[in-house]
Amino acid sequence: MRSRGDVGVFLGMAFGLPWLLWGFEQVTGVRVLFWAAMVSVAVATWVAVRYVWRPAEGVAAATSITPVRPWRRTAAWCGFTFVLFLAMSAAAVALNAVTGVYPADLDGFSALRDAYAPGTAGRSGVPWDLVVRALVANLMQFVLILPLAFCEEWGWRGYLLNRWRDRLGTWPALILIGTLCGVWHLPFFVPAGVDGLWPLLPFTVFCVFFGVLLGWLRLASGSIWPAVVGHAVNNTVVFGFVQVVVADKAAEDRIDGWLTGLSGWQGLLIMGMAIAVLAVRTRRSSGVGVESRQG
Protein backbone atom coordinates (compact mmCIF):
# COMPACT_ATOMS: atom_id res chain seq x y z
CA MET A 1 0.00 0.00 0.00
CA ARG A 2 1.26 3.42 -0.87
CA SER A 3 2.06 5.79 1.96
CA ARG A 4 -0.60 8.29 2.97
CA GLY A 5 1.81 10.29 5.12
CA ASP A 6 2.90 12.28 2.08
CA VAL A 7 0.16 14.89 2.50
CA GLY A 8 1.31 15.66 6.03
CA VAL A 9 4.90 15.99 4.84
CA PHE A 10 3.79 18.29 2.04
CA LEU A 11 1.69 20.55 4.26
CA GLY A 12 4.35 20.70 6.94
CA MET A 13 7.02 21.77 4.49
CA ALA A 14 4.78 24.03 2.37
CA PHE A 15 3.66 25.99 5.45
CA GLY A 16 6.84 25.73 7.49
CA LEU A 17 9.41 26.83 4.92
CA PRO A 18 7.82 30.25 4.24
CA TRP A 19 7.98 31.05 7.95
CA LEU A 20 11.66 30.14 8.01
CA LEU A 21 12.14 32.46 5.05
CA TRP A 22 10.18 35.17 6.87
CA GLY A 23 12.49 34.79 9.86
CA PHE A 24 15.51 34.99 7.58
CA GLU A 25 14.19 38.26 6.18
CA GLN A 26 13.67 39.71 9.66
CA VAL A 27 17.23 38.87 10.70
CA THR A 28 19.11 39.75 7.52
CA GLY A 29 16.88 42.28 5.78
CA VAL A 30 17.34 40.36 2.53
CA ARG A 31 14.00 40.13 0.70
CA VAL A 32 13.57 36.56 -0.53
CA LEU A 33 10.10 35.63 0.71
CA PHE A 34 8.12 36.51 -2.44
CA TRP A 35 9.89 34.14 -4.80
CA ALA A 36 11.41 31.66 -2.37
CA ALA A 37 8.08 30.89 -0.69
CA MET A 38 6.63 29.88 -4.05
CA VAL A 39 9.65 27.68 -4.73
CA SER A 40 9.21 26.08 -1.30
CA VAL A 41 5.84 24.66 -2.42
CA ALA A 42 7.63 22.89 -5.26
CA VAL A 43 10.28 21.59 -2.86
CA ALA A 44 7.54 20.26 -0.57
CA THR A 45 5.83 18.61 -3.54
CA TRP A 46 9.00 16.90 -4.74
CA VAL A 47 9.87 15.53 -1.30
CA ALA A 48 6.32 14.33 -0.58
CA VAL A 49 5.79 12.69 -3.96
CA ARG A 50 9.24 11.36 -4.76
CA TYR A 51 10.30 10.13 -1.34
CA VAL A 52 7.07 9.45 0.60
CA TRP A 53 4.20 8.73 -1.78
CA ARG A 54 6.27 7.16 -4.59
CA PRO A 55 3.42 6.69 -7.10
CA ALA A 56 3.80 3.81 -9.54
CA GLU A 57 2.95 6.00 -12.54
CA GLY A 58 5.80 8.39 -11.80
CA VAL A 59 6.00 11.90 -10.38
CA ALA A 60 5.02 13.77 -13.55
CA ALA A 61 1.92 11.72 -14.30
CA ALA A 62 0.79 11.58 -10.66
CA THR A 63 0.94 15.37 -10.36
CA SER A 64 -0.70 16.13 -13.74
CA ILE A 65 2.41 17.60 -15.36
CA THR A 66 1.97 14.97 -18.06
CA PRO A 67 0.52 13.96 -20.38
CA VAL A 68 0.34 17.16 -22.44
CA ARG A 69 -0.50 15.45 -25.71
CA PRO A 70 -2.19 16.40 -27.87
CA TRP A 71 -0.17 19.54 -27.26
CA ARG A 72 -2.55 21.67 -29.34
CA ARG A 73 -5.35 20.94 -26.90
CA THR A 74 -3.22 21.92 -23.93
CA ALA A 75 -2.05 25.07 -25.74
CA ALA A 76 -5.66 25.94 -26.54
CA TRP A 77 -6.63 25.61 -22.88
CA CYS A 78 -3.69 27.79 -21.86
CA GLY A 79 -4.71 30.44 -24.38
CA PHE A 80 -8.32 30.25 -23.24
CA THR A 81 -7.22 30.69 -19.61
CA PHE A 82 -5.14 33.76 -20.47
CA VAL A 83 -8.07 35.42 -22.25
CA LEU A 84 -10.53 34.32 -19.57
CA PHE A 85 -8.67 36.08 -16.77
CA LEU A 86 -8.26 39.24 -18.81
CA ALA A 87 -11.96 39.24 -19.64
CA MET A 88 -13.02 38.59 -16.05
CA SER A 89 -10.77 41.35 -14.74
CA ALA A 90 -12.03 43.82 -17.35
CA ALA A 91 -15.63 42.92 -16.47
CA ALA A 92 -14.94 43.37 -12.75
CA VAL A 93 -13.35 46.78 -13.34
CA ALA A 94 -16.31 47.78 -15.51
CA LEU A 95 -18.73 46.81 -12.74
CA ASN A 96 -16.57 48.70 -10.24
CA ALA A 97 -16.86 51.79 -12.43
CA VAL A 98 -20.61 51.41 -13.10
CA THR A 99 -21.37 51.01 -9.40
CA GLY A 100 -19.07 53.91 -8.52
CA VAL A 101 -16.98 51.79 -6.18
CA TYR A 102 -13.71 52.31 -8.01
CA PRO A 103 -14.19 54.89 -10.78
CA ALA A 104 -12.53 54.46 -14.14
CA ASP A 105 -10.63 57.32 -15.73
CA LEU A 106 -11.08 56.91 -19.47
CA ASP A 107 -10.35 60.57 -20.12
CA GLY A 108 -7.01 61.26 -18.47
CA PHE A 109 -5.91 57.68 -17.59
CA SER A 110 -4.46 59.14 -14.41
CA ALA A 111 -3.38 55.87 -12.74
CA LEU A 112 -1.64 54.69 -15.90
CA ARG A 113 0.20 58.00 -16.27
CA ASP A 114 1.18 57.98 -12.61
CA ALA A 115 2.66 54.49 -12.94
CA TYR A 116 4.48 54.87 -16.25
CA ALA A 117 4.90 58.60 -17.00
CA PRO A 118 4.25 60.86 -13.98
CA GLY A 119 5.38 63.86 -16.01
CA THR A 120 2.28 63.57 -18.18
CA ALA A 121 -0.16 63.82 -15.26
CA GLY A 122 -3.17 65.99 -16.00
CA ARG A 123 -3.19 65.42 -19.73
CA SER A 124 -6.24 64.03 -21.47
CA GLY A 125 -6.70 61.55 -24.28
CA VAL A 126 -5.66 57.95 -24.66
CA PRO A 127 -1.88 57.63 -24.16
CA TRP A 128 -1.41 54.72 -26.55
CA ASP A 129 2.34 54.70 -26.07
CA LEU A 130 1.88 54.18 -22.32
CA VAL A 131 -0.76 51.51 -22.92
CA VAL A 132 1.67 49.59 -25.12
CA ARG A 133 4.52 50.12 -22.66
CA ALA A 134 2.40 48.86 -19.77
CA LEU A 135 1.24 45.84 -21.75
CA VAL A 136 4.76 44.88 -22.83
CA ALA A 137 6.11 45.34 -19.31
CA ASN A 138 3.42 43.12 -17.82
CA LEU A 139 3.73 40.47 -20.52
CA MET A 140 7.44 40.31 -19.73
CA GLN A 141 6.60 39.92 -16.05
CA PHE A 142 4.11 37.21 -17.00
CA VAL A 143 6.83 35.21 -18.75
CA LEU A 144 9.25 35.69 -15.85
CA ILE A 145 6.76 34.61 -13.20
CA LEU A 146 5.59 31.47 -15.04
CA PRO A 147 8.21 29.24 -13.33
CA LEU A 148 7.16 30.55 -9.90
CA ALA A 149 3.48 30.04 -10.74
CA PHE A 150 4.36 26.49 -11.74
CA CYS A 151 6.00 25.92 -8.35
CA GLU A 152 2.75 26.76 -6.56
CA GLU A 153 0.35 25.08 -8.95
CA TRP A 154 2.40 21.90 -9.03
CA GLY A 155 1.79 21.58 -5.31
CA TRP A 156 -1.77 22.85 -4.85
CA ARG A 157 -3.58 21.83 -8.03
CA GLY A 158 -1.11 19.27 -9.41
CA TYR A 159 -0.35 17.16 -6.35
CA LEU A 160 -2.71 17.97 -3.48
CA LEU A 161 -5.89 18.12 -5.60
CA ASN A 162 -5.20 14.65 -6.97
CA ARG A 163 -4.58 13.27 -3.48
CA TRP A 164 -7.60 14.84 -1.79
CA ARG A 165 -10.23 14.39 -4.49
CA ASP A 166 -10.19 10.66 -3.90
CA ARG A 167 -10.74 11.03 -0.17
CA LEU A 168 -12.87 14.17 0.12
CA GLY A 169 -14.60 14.57 -3.23
CA THR A 170 -13.96 17.22 -5.88
CA TRP A 171 -15.76 20.23 -4.40
CA PRO A 172 -14.54 19.80 -0.80
CA ALA A 173 -10.98 19.32 -2.06
CA LEU A 174 -11.13 22.42 -4.26
CA ILE A 175 -12.59 24.61 -1.52
CA LEU A 176 -10.24 23.34 1.19
CA ILE A 177 -7.16 23.83 -1.00
CA GLY A 178 -8.29 27.35 -1.89
CA THR A 179 -8.69 28.17 1.80
CA LEU A 180 -5.26 26.74 2.61
CA CYS A 181 -3.72 28.81 -0.17
CA GLY A 182 -5.14 31.96 1.37
CA VAL A 183 -3.84 31.11 4.85
CA TRP A 184 -0.49 30.08 3.35
CA HIS A 185 0.04 33.76 2.42
CA LEU A 186 -0.01 34.86 6.08
CA PRO A 187 3.77 35.54 6.25
CA PHE A 188 3.32 38.12 3.48
CA PHE A 189 0.82 40.06 5.60
CA VAL A 190 2.56 39.90 9.00
CA PRO A 191 5.11 42.70 8.35
CA ALA A 192 2.25 45.23 8.14
CA GLY A 193 1.24 44.53 11.74
CA VAL A 194 -2.22 43.80 13.14
CA ASP A 195 -3.93 46.32 10.86
CA GLY A 196 -2.23 44.74 7.89
CA LEU A 197 -3.75 41.34 8.72
CA TRP A 198 -7.34 42.44 8.03
CA PRO A 199 -6.87 42.29 4.22
CA LEU A 200 -6.02 38.60 4.64
CA LEU A 201 -9.73 37.82 5.12
CA PRO A 202 -11.00 39.10 1.74
CA PHE A 203 -7.80 37.79 0.18
CA THR A 204 -8.54 34.30 1.51
CA VAL A 205 -12.10 34.47 0.19
CA PHE A 206 -10.64 35.47 -3.17
CA CYS A 207 -8.19 32.56 -2.97
CA VAL A 208 -11.08 30.13 -2.52
CA PHE A 209 -12.81 31.33 -5.70
CA PHE A 210 -9.51 31.72 -7.51
CA GLY A 211 -8.34 28.27 -6.43
CA VAL A 212 -11.62 26.58 -7.36
CA LEU A 213 -11.46 28.20 -10.79
CA LEU A 214 -7.86 27.11 -11.31
CA GLY A 215 -8.81 23.66 -10.08
CA TRP A 216 -11.62 23.28 -12.60
CA LEU A 217 -9.32 24.50 -15.35
CA ARG A 218 -6.89 21.80 -14.26
CA LEU A 219 -9.59 19.15 -14.29
CA ALA A 220 -11.19 20.24 -17.55
CA SER A 221 -7.87 20.34 -19.40
CA GLY A 222 -6.36 17.27 -17.80
CA SER A 223 -3.10 19.01 -16.86
CA ILE A 224 -1.79 21.73 -14.55
CA TRP A 225 -0.53 24.02 -17.33
CA PRO A 226 -3.71 26.10 -17.76
CA ALA A 227 -3.73 26.62 -13.97
CA VAL A 228 -0.10 27.78 -14.18
CA VAL A 229 -1.01 30.28 -16.90
CA GLY A 230 -4.04 31.50 -14.92
CA HIS A 231 -1.95 32.03 -11.79
CA ALA A 232 0.75 33.91 -13.69
CA VAL A 233 -1.58 36.15 -15.68
CA ASN A 234 -3.54 37.04 -12.53
CA ASN A 235 -0.35 38.06 -10.69
CA THR A 236 0.92 40.22 -13.54
CA VAL A 237 -1.30 41.38 -16.40
CA VAL A 238 -4.51 41.48 -14.38
CA PHE A 239 -3.11 43.51 -11.48
CA GLY A 240 -0.46 45.46 -13.34
CA PHE A 241 -2.21 46.26 -16.59
CA VAL A 242 -5.98 45.87 -16.76
CA GLN A 243 -6.79 47.73 -13.56
CA VAL A 244 -4.02 50.32 -13.91
CA VAL A 245 -5.01 51.27 -17.46
CA VAL A 246 -8.57 52.26 -16.59
CA ALA A 247 -8.27 53.21 -12.90
CA ASP A 248 -8.74 56.68 -11.49
CA LYS A 249 -5.62 57.71 -9.59
CA ALA A 250 -7.72 59.75 -7.15
CA ALA A 251 -9.62 56.60 -6.13
CA GLU A 252 -6.57 54.63 -5.00
CA ASP A 253 -7.09 55.51 -1.35
CA ARG A 254 -10.54 53.90 -1.57
CA ILE A 255 -9.35 50.47 -2.70
CA ASP A 256 -11.12 47.84 -0.63
CA GLY A 257 -10.45 44.13 -1.05
CA TRP A 258 -14.15 43.38 -0.55
CA LEU A 259 -15.24 45.78 -3.27
CA THR A 260 -12.67 46.12 -6.05
CA GLY A 261 -11.15 43.92 -8.73
CA LEU A 262 -11.54 40.16 -8.82
CA SER A 263 -11.49 40.01 -5.01
CA GLY A 264 -14.51 42.32 -4.78
CA TRP A 265 -18.08 41.06 -4.86
CA GLN A 266 -18.27 41.85 -8.56
CA GLY A 267 -15.16 39.80 -9.29
CA LEU A 268 -16.32 36.91 -7.10
CA LEU A 269 -19.64 36.89 -8.94
CA ILE A 270 -17.86 36.78 -12.30
CA MET A 271 -15.48 34.03 -11.19
CA GLY A 272 -18.43 32.10 -9.77
CA MET A 273 -20.11 32.15 -13.16
CA ALA A 274 -16.93 30.91 -14.85
CA ILE A 275 -16.59 28.14 -12.26
CA ALA A 276 -20.17 27.01 -12.86
CA VAL A 277 -19.66 26.81 -16.62
CA LEU A 278 -16.38 24.89 -16.26
CA ALA A 279 -17.85 22.52 -13.68
CA VAL A 280 -20.81 21.66 -15.90
CA ARG A 281 -18.61 21.27 -18.95
CA THR A 282 -16.17 19.01 -17.13
CA ARG A 283 -18.91 16.84 -15.64
CA ARG A 284 -20.52 16.38 -19.05
CA SER A 285 -17.26 15.56 -20.81
CA SER A 286 -16.22 12.01 -21.44
CA GLY A 287 -14.35 11.68 -18.16
CA VAL A 288 -11.65 14.18 -19.09
CA GLY A 289 -9.99 15.54 -15.98
CA VAL A 290 -12.34 13.79 -13.56
CA GLU A 291 -10.36 10.62 -13.17
CA SER A 292 -10.00 9.15 -9.72
CA ARG A 293 -6.44 8.76 -8.48
CA GLN A 294 -6.19 5.98 -5.99
CA GLY A 295 -3.19 6.04 -3.70
Side-chain angles (χ1 to χ4, degrees):
M1 178 181 291
R2 296 174 185 170
S3 171
R4 289 187 179 271
D6 54 287
V7 172
V9 171
F10 168 78
L11 292 175
M13 293 185 66
F15 277 85
L17 290 175
W19 281 107
L20 291 177
L21 294 167
W22 176 83
F24 175 80
E25 278 197 355
Q26 305 310 303
V27 173
T28 66
V30 179
R31 301 304 176 190
V32 298
L33 183 62
F34 172 77
W35 63 269
M38 300 174 80
V39 173
S40 70
V41 178
V43 173
T45 304
W46 174 254
V47 172
V49 179
R50 178 65 179 82
Y51 297 105
V52 186
W53 179 17
R54 299 179 180 178
E57 63 268 44
V59 174
T63 56
S64 300
I65 295 177
T66 60
V68 294
R69 296 181 182 275
W71 66 267
R72 288 185 180 85
R73 181 176 182 275
T74 301
W77 271 105
C78 289
F80 167 76
T81 301
F82 191 99
V83 174
L84 174 65
F85 273 89
L86 288 183
M88 290 192 303
S89 180
V93 170
L95 283 175
N96 290 160
V98 169
T99 56
V101 173
Y102 191 46
D105 181 5
L106 300 179
D107 179 34
F109 293 85
S110 54
L112 175 65
R113 293 181 185 279
D114 180 72
Y116 290 93
T120 66
R123 298 181 186 178
S124 60
V126 182
W128 291 110
D129 58 329
L130 298 185
V131 171
V132 172
R133 186 191 307 178
L135 180 59
V136 170
N138 282 276
L139 287 176
M140 291 177 63
Q141 291 177 18
F142 166 77
V143 173
L144 291 174
I145 206 173
L146 274 172
L148 295 177
F150 166 78
C151 288
E152 275 201 61
E153 290 308 312
W154 186 31
W156 303 124
R157 256 69 60 173
Y159 159 71
L160 193 57
L161 179 56
N162 285 342
R163 291 300 272 164
W164 273 357
R165 283 181 66 222
D166 213 30
R167 309 175 196 181
L168 306 176
T170 299
W171 281 105
L174 288 170
I175 293 171
L176 180 56
I177 291 171
T179 304
L180 287 176
C181 287
V183 177
W184 176 83
H185 286 83
L186 180 59
F188 295 89
F189 289 81
V190 168
V194 176
D195 291 337
L197 292 178
W198 287 110
L200 181 63
L201 181 56
F203 180 78
T204 300
V205 174
F206 161 76
C207 282
V208 172
F209 280 77
F210 181 60
V212 170
L213 179 55
L214 292 181
W216 277 114
L217 285 166
R218 211 289 293 157
L219 297 174
S221 66
S223 75
I224 66 169
W225 299 109
V228 172
V229 169
H231 198 140
V233 72
N234 178 76
N235 285 20
T236 54
V237 183
V238 165
F239 289 141
F241 177 72
V242 176
Q243 297 186 42
V244 170
V245 167
V246 299
D248 185 344
K249 170 63 178 174
E252 285 189 353
D253 61 345
R254 290 195 283 140
I255 293 178
D256 186 324
W258 290 110
L259 300 174
T260 58
L262 287 179
S263 69
W265 66 264
Q266 303 97 331
L268 299 181
L269 175 63
I270 292 167
M271 284 195 291
M273 295 171 61
I275 290 168
V277 171
L278 279 168
V280 171
R281 182 204 178 281
T282 305
R283 291 297 187 184
R284 289 179 177 176
S285 67
S286 56
V288 175
V290 293
E291 72 284 359
S292 175
R293 292 189 175 274
Q294 301 293 334

